[in-house]
Amino acid sequence: MPHPFSPEYAPTPATQAQAPQVVPIAPAAATSPQVTVATAQQTPAPEFKTTAYGTGKPKRVIIRGKVTSD
Amino acid sequence: MTNVLVQKRRLPRISQGDVFRDVECIEYAVEKKGIVEVSKIVFPLVVVLTQDCDLEQDFSYRAKETQSHRLLSVLVAPLYNAEHVFEGTHLSDLAITGSKINKKKTEGTTLMQNERPRYHYVDFPADVPAVASIADFKHYFSVHTRYLETIRAKSFVCRLDDLFREDLSQRFAAYLGRIGLPVLAAATT
């Protein structure tokens, strides 16, 4: 399946059928593939990137324990 | 825009260019009055810098009679979230403030083009679950070889492809071997 943000990606017929029911689509947006591509390019990074590795910062962890004799 | 190619399958051994997540660096371990205290820093991402031939020999010569090729530790460099580095906040949880770097000015564009010796910018491909990151060669550290092998299965993220691994390796070697000449005072006669 093409990456959602690649030029080859196109909405599925089911999505096109449901979109008018959920979100009113302006005629230009519904009929202009250029607008669709532009919108895709402006959307945020895929969800997995926001939960991807490396988003956080290094953290210090201190562990303490009691020495026990065997 | 991605600037590296990666392999997503890990080799049977640790290799140069491997990217691991949640790697621990032990700061200190002390015992006082019967209480052991261990302080460690957990890095979200690191990249392996040790030469691949050394890693290969460490792996191949394990069962041999002599262990002269064994590695005690593996050299790695932390990969910080690029956005945090530009803000100077990538080490804020360690109470360390970095300099801000303006992405749009020369200081930022040269960094992202890997023209600043200290840093190595990596923008992972879209199908790799890792954010754009910056390796800071100044913060290299070592981890015990066996520790890295223990966490490898769970913590492996990806491996830089050969050419990009060599680029990282050469840039790190050049940074380590750099000579910082002192600024000489003007001679007065």
Side-chain angles (χ1 to χ4, degrees), chain B:
Chain B
M1 195 173 81
T2 185
N3 67 345
V4 292
L5 293 176
V6 302
Q7 299 291 332
K8 289 195 282 185
R9 287 186 64 184
R10 56 189 168 92
L11 293 176
R13 60 170 176 85
I14 301 168
S15 61
Q16 188 183 54
D18 278 356
V19 176
F20 292 101
R21 61 182 178 92
D22 299 331
V23 175
E24 298 177 351
C25 171
I26 303 294
E27 281 189 298
Y28 65 83
V30 296
E31 184 268 324
K32 191 174 179 182
K33 295 181 181 175
I35 303 291
V36 172
E37 180 174 295
V38 177
S39 176
K40 57 186 180 182
I41 299 174
V42 184
F43 288 91
L45 281 182
V46 303
V47 60
V48 173
L49 299 173
T50 298
Q51 283 295 91
D52 205 51
C53 54
D54 291 330
L55 293 163
E56 196 275 333
Q57 285 187 344
D58 173 75
F59 180 77
S60 301
Y61 283 78
R62 274 191 205 168
K64 304 294 182 184
E65 281 182 6
T66 58
Q67 291 82 41
S68 59
H69 295 286
R70 293 292 293 273
L71 289 174
L72 294 177
S73 63
V74 174
L75 210 58
V76 299
L79 283 166
Y80 301 121
N81 185 325
E83 292 304 316
H84 294 165
V85 174
F86 293 131
E87 295 164 4
T89 60
H90 53 295
L91 294 174
S92 59
D93 287 358
L94 303 180
I96 298 173
T97 304
S99 309
K100 285 190 181 178
I101 299 173
N102 191 323
K103 275 197 295 188
K104 293 186 171 58
K105 292 194 172 173
T106 305
E107 58 179 358
T109 56
T110 50
L111 189 157
M112 293 168 76
Q113 289 163 2
N114 285 329
E115 292 172 4
R116 287 182 64 171
R118 172 176 168 177
Y119 301 105
H120 194 82
Y121 178 75
V122 180
D123 196 352
F124 294 95
D127 58 346
V128 175
V131 294
S133 305
I134 295 172
D136 189 342
F137 293 143
K138 191 181 276 285
H139 295 168
Y140 69 88
F141 63 97
S142 65
V143 291
H144 196 278
T145 316
R146 301 298 159 252
Y147 161 74
L148 206 55
E149 287 175 352
T150 302
I151 68 168
R152 198 165 68 91
K154 186 187 73 168
S155 296
F156 176 83
V157 176
C158 65
R159 183 175 78 254
L160 298 183
D161 209 3
D162 289 355
L163 202 59
F164 303 91
R165 176 192 81 190
E166 294 302 322
D167 182 38
L168 170 78
S169 172
Q170 293 219 353
R171 293 195 73 243
F172 175 63
Y175 177 77
L176 264 197
R178 77 200 188 283
I179 298 174
L181 294 172
V183 176
L184 301 176
T188 56
T189 55

Side-chain angles (χ1 to χ4, degrees), chain A residues 1-10 37 40-41:
Chain A
M1 181 178 175
H3 191 279
F5 304 117
S6 67
E8 296 84 9
Y9 181 77
V37 170
Q41 289 172 345

